[in-house]
Amino acid sequence: MLKIGITGGIGSGKTTVCRVFEVLGIPVFYADTVAKQIMVQDQILISGIKDTFGEESYSSEGLLNNKHIAGIVFNDTLALEKLNALVHPAVFRAFDQWVAQVPASSPYILKEAALLFESGSYQMCDYSILVTAPLAVRKERVMLRDQVTEEQVQARIDKQFTDEKKLELADFTLENNESTSIIMQVLDLHLQFINRKN
Ligand code: ATP
């Protein structure tokens, strides 16, 4: 099964682009959504988080104490690295399980991850796609979508690799800049992946 990683900076539109692939019948694994789910489901991960960040990381009902964790990792790079070192392997496990149940008739699958390159998970994919958009457009989209300030968006951007760095690692790019048709670009890539599989 051909595995394609897809990423892009915050607000680039990677999730929107993945929805187009889904319309074409391509299964998509949303790593960031799965990461949130397994934080309260994967017992190995839960134990690791409690050991590292304290029992108060979870409520007595087993809910994640986001405020507690965010308070620790927000301005502490080492703590954030520790959290990622726990979460990323758990997401890789979940991805392997998900791949195993994808219909064999699927020509390829996509793994959407905000930190595809930062986490190293692109190395487990056959190819990678980078979704790009101008920084100003990305900021506007996220401010509108999440009702946050420009400074808050910038703080999130600062935690990710720059597009320049990601471009060096990506095999393909999709420009989601509102002037080039994203659907035509997706169709073009879709056909390329189908041909590579055959
Ligand atoms: P994040 O990293 O925060 O998850 P993302 O890269 O997945 O972001 P999306 O959520 O897909 O980005 O898109 C961000 C916002 O921009 C959404 O509200 C989406 O509807 C909008 N958007 C994405 N692409 C376009 C486009 N081509 N034209 C107009 N709006 C768009």
Side-chain angles (χ1 to χ4, degrees):
M1 178 81 61
L2 200 59
K3 300 185 190 104
I4 320 281
I6 180 163
T7 190
I10 179 167
S12 58
K14 55 193 167 298
T15 306
T16 306
V17 167
C18 285
R19 301 284 183 224
V20 182
F21 279 101
E22 282 190 294
V23 170
L24 296 170
I26 300 306
V28 182
F29 178 86
Y30 292 95
D32 304 321
T33 307
V34 171
K36 285 189 191 124
Q37 291 165 352
I38 60 175
M39 294 280 269
V40 290
Q41 287 171 357
D42 184 313
Q43 291 308 320
I44 302 171
L45 177 58
I46 293 169
S47 300
I49 289 176
K50 283 183 181 171
D51 288 347
T52 312
F53 300 107
E55 286 291 324
E56 62 271 44
S57 303
Y58 289 86
S59 70
S60 51
E61 292 84 32
L63 297 175
L64 184 70
N65 185 346
N66 269 316
K67 212 170 165 186
H68 172 73
I69 307 269
I72 298 174
V73 302
F74 195 73
N75 286 314
D76 184 342
T77 315
L78 197 67
L80 181 61
E81 278 172 16
K82 278 186 191 168
L83 180 63
N84 284 337
L86 291 165
V87 176
H88 290 158
V91 177
F92 298 163
R93 287 196 294 275
F95 177 63
D96 288 342
Q97 284 170 11
W98 179 85
V99 168
Q101 54 78 53
V102 164
S105 56
S106 303
Y108 62 94
I109 56 100
L110 285 182
K111 179 181 191 181
E112 190 235 46
L115 301 180
L116 187 78
F117 295 123
E118 292 87 338
S119 69
S121 74
Y122 72 102
Q123 287 160 324
M124 295 166 214
C125 296
D126 299 291
Y127 299 103
S128 60
I129 304 171
L130 177 66
V131 181
T132 64
L135 202 56
V137 175
R138 289 169 46 197
K139 282 184 184 173
E140 259 177 49
R141 285 177 184 163
V142 178
M143 285 160 66
L144 194 69
R145 186 194 60 189
D146 298 347
Q147 296 297 300
V148 289
T149 63
E150 187 176 351
E151 289 69 34
Q152 286 169 312
V153 183
Q154 188 62 52
R156 292 196 225 167
I157 289 173
D158 291 343
K159 292 199 189 311
Q160 302 181 336
F161 281 2
T162 61
D163 268 8
E164 288 68 33
K165 191 161 179 177
K166 288 177 189 165
L167 277 167
E168 285 172 21
L169 298 166
D171 298 305
F172 302 93
T173 54
L174 288 173
E175 290 180 27
N176 185 22
N177 56 17
E178 294 168 21
S179 56
T180 324
S181 165
I182 195 68
I183 293 175
M184 293 310 289
Q185 293 178 71
V186 169
L187 272 177
D188 181 50
L189 265 191
H190 177 67
L191 293 175
Q192 285 192 50
F193 292 143
I194 287 176
N195 287 335
R196 272 165 216 256
K197 188 220 166 201
N198 294 332

